[in-house]
């Protein structure tokens, strides 16, 4: 017997769930002899790519980690004193291990099914409470994408709330971070907002001004008292936005007490690594009267069916996928995982711990300032928190920067003659001494920290914080590691994630997030780099970016790719801006109409409006396809003004439209561009390419198709690929050169640290593995559709009777026959140990199922068996064997406390309620609360942690 020493571990076999034999069993049920035969029947021949993906030899997991080590070694981690809203930080190890590196936290989905998301919802309620307390505002959301985006959302809120429609000016202080200003410029122009940048102390309000933004402390460290300016803004009927450093607010008067209407910022320095720019959780807080205009998600307190306290996402009708073109924001992906981390940082340290960190950081900054002054470099501002502005000659600035680099330290070059130095919680006394030595430029430093003289606070007396914060018991209980560990595990146990079962959400692609892909994210060579570090220190990242851009260009068939958009919604927006820039460059800026099919993702019309477009809806036919006659008629009628068509492919209805090339031709013939929503790219990779189909631009959800975890509702990444003529209009950034377009994210490469995950996935799968994954995803969806078609009608299918990578089940008739709503099925699935599929999207009252390629056949069968069993339970109602108002569906989900309670008043048994299948007898996931009262939660909002005694009594009170 000969031996084969060339055989290698194939990662695709780890990623793809069904093995070869299981796939054959699935194919036999579908009546196909091979996977190729199924694909031929499903994907139109006219769009199939003629050549396989050229992505090189797939790496084994071991090889991949070796390659990542090589890239990591090219990054140089210097001590960062750059600041500008990014600080080095210490992630408490108990949070690092048990949240950031824990699939029980990072593989959860957005908490739309609140009964099985109570742990994450509590962590987010903690986040909101933390932000409200520290900012002194009345209500806060559950995070946004980054500080620049949050500031832009605040500008939009103020614009929508303006009393005078003629007011078009938004004032921005020149003390704001430069990346924030760049994002504001991008967001302002398409919607007709004029930015005026200047000194808030001299702004004269000569022109109608609807709002103003200031930084607190300023980007160069100055601490201003904004109370008088707030009065001026309000006197001119505007709103004041204060972008505040959250740690400084442990010592400084909060924005709410200074007159702010909105407070925004970043929570990155609360234990979240810089990661070369992201991901981080931004915050957004405002006054209660703006609650229903506030962007992003909001966690509130309600009750369950038993009258117990229960948490949920409140006011969901504000979300853009529901409001569509009426939405004022397209912020879909939040930053839940990072918001959880930062909130747990506050829980772990508590108010006294945060104050100690803030005081130490400020004390070291004051010590540094004292020594620099003795060396002849007196800071420009007498009042500061953690940042010093040092004005020198250009020659001195050059010498100091080079001296710092020689000691592996980075300073900020504000301009040719001005330096910035920002300290943080990682700064030590030795760092201060090293900085003194750098400024001494080779001369001996004649003093030490002990002999430099008295060091006093540089905070202005009028701005010292006197109000309490983080008074809730949750922030004053879990300060030992034992307590913190148990708290984290208790919350984790209340959430269903991929660690428990498949999450069959259509359009969301909840697939395997392999451990090997995740491991490098927390390495310091990637996590501790400042996004504005000198390029020569980030060669590993740069190589990674080049490779990933080339990989995604190969997958999509496009000329160029931008990795900057840090969410799918931001990718949509960036793609539409590229189209807008292209038309303007050709003297066709009049093109302002965007055609969008009625089946489109809700973020599509929201993004179009934000990009300055007017939306025209195109009808779909009875099969879920775009109505070609309606498209052609509307494209013809609006051809002089037609800018773009937004189309999702495969369609949101889960089918490959046969006429997609014709659709593109219709739009191109009228001078428009085709934007393809890549949310369903998991059905295309290796089989067809958007660039070959006829699209001009396409965004990709790396948190879907390319394996970045959803993180409970974020992080996400949404890069865009574009045809050659759109490449000049890809997002730019103040720290980059060569692009005409503006920034859409605060950091040049958005959420840079998690790009490692998608790069690793593609590198390990290779072209053949990625194609097999797509084929298996299509196989799994069709297998589920076939198994369930006799129990629930499949709403849309292609010409051959096949679906793409997802299918829509239609239980709407059951409302008439049994009084059963789609929500009842969703809640009953929890008793079977499953998260529900996507409900009521894109068709109200339906279930959209996407199994992905990662789930083995046994799990697919367990899911199908559960839905079939639920159909039998519905049949009991139809046959009169179960009452319409007292059955297992109407009272689902059943909690352990209900099932084991002393009273049981239902006609069905406790066993049937809690253990409806053999699978859950072996491993039962218990929802911790019963069905939520959504109406009550929206009517009486509580959006911060209520007093502990309120958890013992049922009445719901309004937020205070």
């Amino acid at each position: 017997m000969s031996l084969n020493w060339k055989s290698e571990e194939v990662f695709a076999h780890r990623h793809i769930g069904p093995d070869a034999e299981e796939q054959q069993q699935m194919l036999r049920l579908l009546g196909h002899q091979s996977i190729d035969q199924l694909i031929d029947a499903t994907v139109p021949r006219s769009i199939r790519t003629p050549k396989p993906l050229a992505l090189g030899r797939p790496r084994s997991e071991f090889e991949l980690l070796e390659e990542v080590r090589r890239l990591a070694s090219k990054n140089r981690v210097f001590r960062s004193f750059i600041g500008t809203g990014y600080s080095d930080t210490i992630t408490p190890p108990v949070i690092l291990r048990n949240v950031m590196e824990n699939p029980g936290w990072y593989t959860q989905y957005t908490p739309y099914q609140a009964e099985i998301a109570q742990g994450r919802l509590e962590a987010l309620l903690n986040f909101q409470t933390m932000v409200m307390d520290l900012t002194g505002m009345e209500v806060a959301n559950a995070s946004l994408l980054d500080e620049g985006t949050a500031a832009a959302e605040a500008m939009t809120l103020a614009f929508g709330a303006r009393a005078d429609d003629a007011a078009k000016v938004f004032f921005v202080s020149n003390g704001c971070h430069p990346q924030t200003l760049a994002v504001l410029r991008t967001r302002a122009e398409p919607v007709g907002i004029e930015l005026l940048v200047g000194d808030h102390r001299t702004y004269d309000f000569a022109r109608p001004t609807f709002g103003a933004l200031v930084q607190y402390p300023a980007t160069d460290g100055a601490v201003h008292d904004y109370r008088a300016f707030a009065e001026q803004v309000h006197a001119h009927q505007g709103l004041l936005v204060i972008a505040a450093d959250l740690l400084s607010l442990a010592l400084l008067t909060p924005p709410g007490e200074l007159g702010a209407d909105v407070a925004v910022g970043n929570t990155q320095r609360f234990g979240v690594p810089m990661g070369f720019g992201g991901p981080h959780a931004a915050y957004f807080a405002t006054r209660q009267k703006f609650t229903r205009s506030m962007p992003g998600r909001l966690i509130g307190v309600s009750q369950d069916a038993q009258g117990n306290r229960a948490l949920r996402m409140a006011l969901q009708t504000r979300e853009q996928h529901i409001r569509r073109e009426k939405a004022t924001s397209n912020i879909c992906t939040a930053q839940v995982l990072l918001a959880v981390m930062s909130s747990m940082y506050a829980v772990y340290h508590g108010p006294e711990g945060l104050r100690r960190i803030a005081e130490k950081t400020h004390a070291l900054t004051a010590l540094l300032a004292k020594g620099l002054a003795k060396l002849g470099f007196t800071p420009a501002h007498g009042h500061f928190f953690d940042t010093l502005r040092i004005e020198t000659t250009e020659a001195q600035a050059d010498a100091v920067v080079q001296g710092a680099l020689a000691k592996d330290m980075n300073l900020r070059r504000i301009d040719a003659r001005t330096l910035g130095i920002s300290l943080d919680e990682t700064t030590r006394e030795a760092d201060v001494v090293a900085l003194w030595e750098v400024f001494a430029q080779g001369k001996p430093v004649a003093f030490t920290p002990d002999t430099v003289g008295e060091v006093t606070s540089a905070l202005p007396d009028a701005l010292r914080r006197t109000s309490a914060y983080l008074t809730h018991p949750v922030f004053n209980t879990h300060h030992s590691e034992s307590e913190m560990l148990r708290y984290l595990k208790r919350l984790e146990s209340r959430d269903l994630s991929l660690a428990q079962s498949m999450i069959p959400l259509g359009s969301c692609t909840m697939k395997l997030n392999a451990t090997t892909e995740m491991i490098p994210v927390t390495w310091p060579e990637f996590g501790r780099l400042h996004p504005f570090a000198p390029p020569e220190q980030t060669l590993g990242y740069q190589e990674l970016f080049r490779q990933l851009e080339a990989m995604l260009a190969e997958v999509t068939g496009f000329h160029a790719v931008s990795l900057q958009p840090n969410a799918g919604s931001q990718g949509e927006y960036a793609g539409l801006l590229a189209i807008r820039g292209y038309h303007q460059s050709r003297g066709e800026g009049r093109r302002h109409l965007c055609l969008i099919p009625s089946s489109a993702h809700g973020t599509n019309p929201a993004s179009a409006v934000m990009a300055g477009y007017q939306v025209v809806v195109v009808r779909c036919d009875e099969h879920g396809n775009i109505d070609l006659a309606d498209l052609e008629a509307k494209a013809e009628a609006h051809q002089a003004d037609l800018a773009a068509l937004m189309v999702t492919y495969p369609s949101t209805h889960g089918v490959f439209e046969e006429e997609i090339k014709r659709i593109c031709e219709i739009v191109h013939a009228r001078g428009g561009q085709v934007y393809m929503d890549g949310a369903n790219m998991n059905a295309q990779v290796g089989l067809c390419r958007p660039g070959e189909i006829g699209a001009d631009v396409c965004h990709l959800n790396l948190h879907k198709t390319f394996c970045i975890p959803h993180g409970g509702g974020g992080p996400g990444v949404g890069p865009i690929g574009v045809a050659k003529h759109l490449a000049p209009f890809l997002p730019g950034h103040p720290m980059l050169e060569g692009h005409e377009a503006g920034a859409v994210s605060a950091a040049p490469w958005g959420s840079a640290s998690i790009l490692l995950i998608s790069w690793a996935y593609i590198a390990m799968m290779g072209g053949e593995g990625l194609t097999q994954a797509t084929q298996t995803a299509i196989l799994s969806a069709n297998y589920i559709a076939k198994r369930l078609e006799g129990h629930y009608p499949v709403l849309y299918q292609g010409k051959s009777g096949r679906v793409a990578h997802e299918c829509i089940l239609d239980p709407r008739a059951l409302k008439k026959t049994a009084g059963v709503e789609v929500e009842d099925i969703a809640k009953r699935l929890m008793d079977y140990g499953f998260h529900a599929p996507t409900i009521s999207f894109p068709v109200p009252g339906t279930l959209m199922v996407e199994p992905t390629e990662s789930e083995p056949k046994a799990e697919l069968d367990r899911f199908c068996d559960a839905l079939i069993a639920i159909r039998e339970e519905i049949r009991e109602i139809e046959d009169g064997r179960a009452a319409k108002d007292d059955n297992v569906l109407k009272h689902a989900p059943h909690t352990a406390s209900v099932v084991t309670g002393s009273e049981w008043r239902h006609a069905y048994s406790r066993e049937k309620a809690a253990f409806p299948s053999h699978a859950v007898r072996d491993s039962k996931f218990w929802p911790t609360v019963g069905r939520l009262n959504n109406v009550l939660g929206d009517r009486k909002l509580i959006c911060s942690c209520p007093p502990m005694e309120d958890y013992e009594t049922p009445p719901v009170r309004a937020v205070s």
Side-chain angles (χ1 to χ4, degrees):
M1 177 181 175
S2 61
L3 300 177
N4 181 6
W5 60 87
K6 293 185 178 181
S7 64
E8 293 182 352
E9 183 71 21
V10 179
F11 174 73
H13 296 164
R14 304 294 189 189
H15 177 80
I16 297 173
D19 62 24
E21 176 54 34
E22 290 173 336
Q23 290 189 30
Q24 284 304 310
Q25 293 171 14
M26 296 160 71
L27 286 164
R28 282 196 291 271
L29 180 69
L30 295 169
H32 292 293
Q33 299 299 313
S34 68
I35 192 77
D36 290 335
Q37 190 180 86
L38 169 65
I39 298 304
D40 287 341
T42 305
V43 185
R45 266 287 168 197
S46 61
I47 65 166
R48 296 283 294 276
T49 188
K51 57 182 181 179
L53 293 175
L55 293 170
R57 183 182 65 82
R59 280 74 133 191
S60 69
E61 294 179 79
F62 180 74
E63 286 179 308
L64 187 285
L65 289 175
E66 284 189 322
E67 189 164 345
V68 179
R69 283 289 182 198
R70 180 185 63 80
L71 289 177
S73 69
K74 293 187 173 186
N75 291 331
R76 301 180 64 192
V77 182
F78 281 24
R79 296 290 288 116
S80 176
F81 302 104
I82 298 172
T84 61
Y86 300 97
S87 302
D88 205 354
T89 185
I90 300 170
T91 307
V94 66
I95 296 174
L96 177 68
R97 173 65 59 88
N98 294 289
V99 178
M100 190 176 186
E101 297 178 339
N102 182 355
W105 282 99
Y106 66 66
T107 67
Q108 303 155 341
Y109 182 63
T110 304
Y112 290 122
Q113 297 294 336
E115 294 85 352
I116 51 177
Q118 289 296 297
R120 185 173 4 137
L121 288 166
E122 180 172 326
L124 292 176
L125 194 70
N126 293 344
F127 177 87
Q128 291 176 180
T129 304
M130 171 189 81
V131 171
M132 291 163 62
D133 281 7
L134 287 171
T135 61
M137 304 302 291
E138 295 169 340
V139 63
N141 70 15
S143 79
L144 290 178
L145 301 174
D146 56 36
E147 184 169 334
T149 302
E153 293 292 329
M155 175 181 69
T156 304
L157 183 148
F159 189 55
R162 69 196 192 281
D164 180 5
D165 287 343
K168 304 287 188 182
V169 173
F170 187 70
F171 171 77
V172 183
S173 167
N174 53 18
C176 289
H177 295 316
Q179 70 272 18
T180 298
L181 179 57
V183 174
L184 287 170
R185 291 191 192 281
T186 302
R187 289 282 293 271
E189 189 273 333
V191 294
I193 294 173
E194 181 182 354
L195 292 187
L196 289 182
V197 181
D199 189 331
H200 75 279
R201 294 166 294 188
T202 58
Y203 185 62
D204 60 8
F205 293 89
R207 300 179 58 192
T209 303
F210 66 84
L213 170 69
V214 293
Q215 195 86 39
Y216 182 62
T219 189
D220 66 354
V223 177
H224 298 290
D225 189 335
Y226 291 115
R227 278 174 280 219
F229 184 64
E231 291 177 2
Q232 286 184 288
V233 174
H234 294 151
H236 290 86
Q237 298 184 300
L239 300 184
L240 176 62
V241 183
I242 296 182
D245 177 280
L246 212 57
L247 184 64
S248 75
L249 300 184
L251 305 179
L252 291 172
T253 301
E257 296 175 24
L258 298 179
D261 300 287
V262 183
V264 298
N266 196 347
T267 64
Q268 177 267 313
R269 72 186 308 173
F270 277 31
V272 179
M274 287 186 289
F276 203 44
H280 312 134
Y283 72 82
F284 187 109
T286 186
R287 303 200 181 280
Q288 193 170 350
K289 71 184 214 178
F290 298 121
T291 299
R292 282 169 168 78
S293 302
M294 184 172 59
R297 291 167 177 148
L298 184 68
I299 308 307
V301 183
S302 184
Q303 294 178 5
D304 72 1
Q306 288 72 45
N308 301 311
R309 291 283 174 188
L311 309 180
R312 58 183 287 274
M313 279 174 39
L315 303 177
Q316 291 186 34
T317 53
R318 299 173 311 118
E319 294 214 357
Q320 73 285 349
H321 64 272
I322 297 171
R323 298 195 69 207
R324 301 177 70 80
E325 66 270 16
K326 295 183 176 63
T328 57
S329 167
N330 74 333
I331 297 302
C332 184
T333 306
Q335 300 281 24
V336 171
L337 182 67
L338 299 315
V340 169
M341 289 180 63
S342 61
S343 73
M344 291 305 173
Y345 180 92
V347 168
Y348 194 44
H349 287 295
E352 293 306 314
L354 287 186
R355 179 176 287 276
R356 283 195 300 272
I357 293 169
E359 287 176 341
K360 182 177 181 181
T361 302
H362 178 61
L364 286 170
T365 310
L367 174 66
L368 174 64
K370 183 81 172 181
L372 290 178
K374 291 178 75 69
L375 292 171
F377 297 94
T378 301
H381 303 302
H383 293 143
F384 53 80
F385 166 62
D386 68 352
T387 297
L388 303 178
R389 178 187 178 105
I390 307 296
E391 295 175 349
T392 69
T393 66
E394 187 170 347
Q396 286 177 320
D398 289 340
V400 168
V401 168
Q402 290 305 312
L405 290 172
K407 286 180 173 285
D408 290 352
M409 298 188 297
N410 289 324
L411 306 182
R412 179 184 175 192
R413 194 75 177 256
I414 296 176
D415 58 41
R417 301 176 58 185
T418 310
L419 301 176
I421 312 172
S422 296
L423 307 191
D424 54 55
E425 72 165 316
T426 69
T427 306
R428 298 293 179 263
E429 187 178 289
D431 296 313
V432 173
V433 173
L435 286 166
W436 286 340
E437 291 171 350
V438 166
F439 275 85
Q441 299 177 45
K443 298 177 183 177
V445 177
F447 50 85
T448 69
D450 294 325
T451 63
V452 71
E454 184 183 8
V455 177
T456 58
S457 173
L459 301 179
D461 291 338
L463 289 176
R464 292 181 184 274
R465 181 162 194 153
T466 58
S467 53
Y469 53 88
L470 303 186
T471 58
H472 191 274
V474 75
F475 299 107
N476 294 276
T477 305
H478 311 290
H479 301 327
S480 75
E481 183 163 339
S482 295
E483 292 168 318
M484 190 66 190
L485 175 64
R486 289 166 187 156
Y487 181 60
L488 290 172
K489 287 299 179 182
R490 183 162 71 250
L491 295 194
E492 180 190 342
S493 70
R494 297 174 182 174
D495 276 28
L496 187 143
S497 70
L498 285 175
Q500 281 85 30
S501 69
M502 71 181 288
I503 301 180
L505 284 152
S507 189
C508 295
T509 319
M510 299 291 293
K511 63 204 289 181
L512 172 69
N513 314 122
T515 306
T516 298
E517 297 159 9
M518 302 298 297
I519 284 175
V521 172
T522 57
W523 291 354
E525 296 91 338
F526 297 110
R528 293 191 65 189
L529 264 65
H530 192 287
F532 306 147
E536 58 270 19
Q537 296 171 21
T538 64
L539 298 179
Y541 259 125
Q542 292 175 48
E543 185 174 339
L544 172 81
F545 298 152
R546 287 193 299 270
Q547 290 186 19
L548 182 56
E549 288 170 359
M551 290 169 169
L552 296 178
E554 172 65 15
V555 165
T556 59
F558 282 119
H559 174 77
V561 170
S562 170
L563 302 172
Q564 188 181 121
N566 54 3
S569 55
Q570 297 295 85
E572 293 178 15
Y573 182 60
L576 291 170
L577 289 181
I579 291 173
R580 178 185 173 89
Y582 170 72
H583 286 313
Q584 290 176 337
S585 73
R586 291 160 51 86
E588 296 187 341
R590 70 181 186 282
R591 293 186 176 272
H592 67 280
L593 290 174
C594 186
L595 301 177
I596 302 181
S598 59
S599 65
H601 286 108
T603 50
N604 288 178
S607 296
V609 170
M610 283 179 53
Y613 292 125
Q614 178 183 338
V615 173
V616 175
V617 178
V618 178
R619 292 196 299 266
C620 289
D621 62 24
E622 67 274 15
H623 302 295
N625 298 313
I626 293 174
D627 185 323
L628 282 183
D630 190 52
L631 171 66
E632 191 150 19
K634 286 173 176 171
E636 183 68 24
H638 299 292
Q639 65 174 327
D641 301 319
L642 178 60
L645 165 75
M646 298 187 79
V647 58
T648 301
Y649 201 75
S651 77
T652 310
H653 291 147
V655 295
F656 283 95
E657 298 195 42
E658 298 280 344
E659 300 295 334
I660 184 63
K661 284 195 169 183
R662 174 64 183 143
I663 289 168
C664 296
E665 290 169 358
I666 289 171
V667 174
H668 287 150
R670 276 80 179 178
Q673 297 284 286
V674 175
Y675 171 91
M676 183 172 285
D677 185 318
N680 294 339
M681 195 69 191
N682 212 44
Q684 285 196 57
V685 178
L687 302 179
C688 49
R689 292 179 170 94
E692 294 172 355
I693 292 172
D696 300 288
V697 55
C698 175
H699 94 266
L700 303 169
N701 296 95
L702 299 192
H703 50 287
K704 295 182 181 182
T705 302
F706 297 96
C707 289
I708 291 176
H710 284 63
V717 180
I720 56 172
V722 296
K724 188 174 183 179
H725 62 281
L726 294 182
F729 309 100
L730 288 171
H733 198 276
M735 304 303 293
L736 301 176
E737 296 181 0
H739 293 303
E740 297 178 18
V744 296
S745 300
W749 287 278
S751 293
S753 66
I754 56 174
L755 294 174
L756 279 157
I757 301 167
S758 297
W759 173 86
Y761 170 65
I762 296 172
M764 290 190 294
M765 291 291 282
E768 185 177 351
L770 290 176
T771 305
Q772 291 172 355
T774 305
Q775 293 170 331
T776 308
I778 293 172
L779 170 62
S780 296
N782 279 282
Y783 177 73
I784 285 180
K786 186 66 176 179
R787 279 212 61 192
L788 296 177
E789 66 181 1
H791 307 278
Y792 304 90
V794 176
L795 190 56
Y796 296 116
Q797 296 171 317
K799 288 183 178 179
S800 63
R802 295 286 171 244
V803 298
H805 65 310
E806 59 193 7
C807 61
I808 298 177
L809 306 178
D810 187 3
R812 290 175 294 181
L814 301 177
K815 183 175 181 179
K816 290 183 179 179
T817 62
V820 171
E821 307 268 4
V822 68
E823 185 180 31
D824 299 323
I825 298 173
K827 303 309 180 187
R828 181 58 174 160
L829 272 168
M830 297 177 191
D831 290 331
Y832 284 83
F834 284 106
H835 193 294
T838 305
I839 65 171
S840 293
F841 176 83
V843 181
T846 64
L847 295 158
M848 184 160 63
V849 182
E850 181 179 357
T852 84
E853 70 275 9
S854 295
E855 297 300 338
K857 180 176 178 294
E859 187 72 353
L860 303 180
D861 284 331
R862 190 170 76 89
F863 174 70
C864 291
D865 291 344
L867 276 177
I868 292 169
I870 290 172
R871 182 63 185 92
E872 291 304 311
E873 292 170 347
I874 297 170
R875 191 163 285 112
E876 292 175 2
I877 305 170
E878 293 171 328
D879 295 345
R881 289 175 286 154
K884 284 193 173 183
D885 60 348
D886 183 26
N887 57 70
V888 288
L889 282 94
K890 288 297 181 183
H891 294 292
H894 297 85
T895 65
S897 61
V898 166
V899 173
T900 60
S902 57
E903 292 187 34
W904 183 259
R905 299 181 178 178
H906 303 300
Y908 55 91
S909 68
R910 300 173 193 252
E911 180 182 29
K912 183 170 185 175
F915 298 101
S917 70
H918 290 294
V920 293
R921 291 178 184 276
D922 178 59
S923 178
K924 174 69 177 177
F925 180 86
W926 290 98
T928 50
V929 299
R931 193 175 302 197
L932 266 289
N933 186 331
N934 293 325
V935 174
L936 176 65
D938 281 348
R939 192 174 71 247
K940 295 186 176 181
L941 280 174
I942 302 176
C943 300
S944 64
C945 299
M948 291 303 290
E949 58 269 18
D950 277 16
Y951 287 95
E952 301 170 6
T953 55
V956 175
R957 60 177 176 79
V959 65
S960 58

